[in-house]
Amino acid sequence: MAARVLVTRAPHQASALGDALIAYGLRVVSIPTIALAPPADDYASLDRELTQLDEYDWLLFTSANAVAVFAERLEDQAVPLSCGIASIGAATTKALREAGFPVRLQAQTAIAESLAKSLVPHAKGSKMLLVRAEQGRDVLIDTLTDAGAEVTLSPAYRSIIPMESVDRLKRELPNVHAITFTSSSAVQNLFALMDAAKVTLPPGIVLASIGPITTATLRDLGHKPTIEARDASVAALASAVATALRNQ
């Protein structure tokens, strides 16, 4: 019988990872730990900045979700886009290009520290607009501000916990062999949902992290990750999961 892998991504993002896992002969159990909602200001900040994009030298994106919201709001505003665009990684770059936005700079590694390092040479005297989730690490803002940039944050969405996942988690968690985590929010929300469901991790379960920030969050919550993907992509994560389960 095929090993069962719990995918914790939001529903609209789960298919790529699910397809990659299925290609390795694994069975996917999709229980989202993240749902997206409008930011608390109902896009007021983002819409305001869209009317003055010509004042910015750079637009910064740290997720494909932010790209999707930005593209939709920009289309509603019918505002031209002429500044440089920086992306945190391949998935975000793909979303930008599919939306018709040329990417001038992509981080070498899909973490905020790497994107900040790539942008530091362009920082002094620059105005930068960061479009991201309402909740997020401030390392990008802090690093670029210290390097002389003026960074404005405009939330495109906020992540919330989908409490409707509690019942499915009660039923499915005891029977899964691995759990994939693609963000710190996914880690935090899964354990919040587990507390609500009053369930614990099955013994010997593979905890699979997409990268070092997600790994650090697992460790902070007292859980040692079994594996970390060699790079921050769903393909690398699926490969690492398949290898770990095969070696068990």
Side-chain angles (χ1 to χ4, degrees), residues 33-185:
T33 62
I34 296 173
L36 304 185
D41 68 358
D42 198 27
Y43 306 111
S45 168
L46 180 57
D47 287 346
R48 181 178 64 250
E49 300 307 325
L50 289 178
T51 66
Q52 48 197 32
L53 283 178
D54 57 347
E55 297 182 9
Y56 287 99
D57 302 294
W58 285 90
L59 273 174
L60 319 180
F61 292 94
T62 56
S63 73
N65 290 326
V67 174
V69 174
F70 177 87
E72 181 179 356
R73 307 301 292 187
L74 186 67
E75 187 175 38
D76 290 344
Q77 297 275 354
V79 177
L81 184 61
S82 58
C83 48
I85 296 177
S87 162
I88 199 168
T92 304
T93 294
K94 181 174 182 287
L96 283 161
R97 288 176 175 158
E98 287 177 350
F101 301 139
V103 177
R104 186 183 299 179
L105 181 153
Q106 178 183 310
Q108 289 189 336
T109 307
I111 57 174
E113 286 83 353
S114 180
L115 181 57
K117 182 179 179 180
S118 299
L119 282 164
V120 161
H122 307 280
K124 191 170 183 179
S126 290
K127 289 192 67 175
M128 300 181 173
L129 179 63
L130 172 58
V131 184
R132 68 161 206 204
E134 193 167 85
Q135 317 95 316
R137 299 164 63 236
D138 289 333
V139 61
L140 189 57
I141 297 172
D142 293 343
T143 302
L144 294 174
T145 300
D146 289 345
E150 180 183 336
V151 184
T152 300
L153 169 63
S154 279
Y157 62 95
R158 58 192 169 96
S159 298
I160 60 176
I161 299 176
M163 296 308 294
E164 60 271 20
S165 292
V166 168
D167 288 342
R168 286 204 64 214
L169 201 58
K170 284 181 182 178
R171 294 195 306 270
E172 301 286 0
L173 186 60
N175 302 310
V176 300
H177 304 92
I179 304 175
T180 59
F181 298 99
T182 55
S183 69
S184 291
S185 294

Side-chain angles (χ1 to χ4, degrees), residues 18-37:
D19 290 347
L21 292 165
I22 290 168
Y24 284 104
L26 302 170
R27 184 175 174 185
V28 172
V29 178
S30 182
I31 303 179
T33 62
I34 296 173
L36 304 185

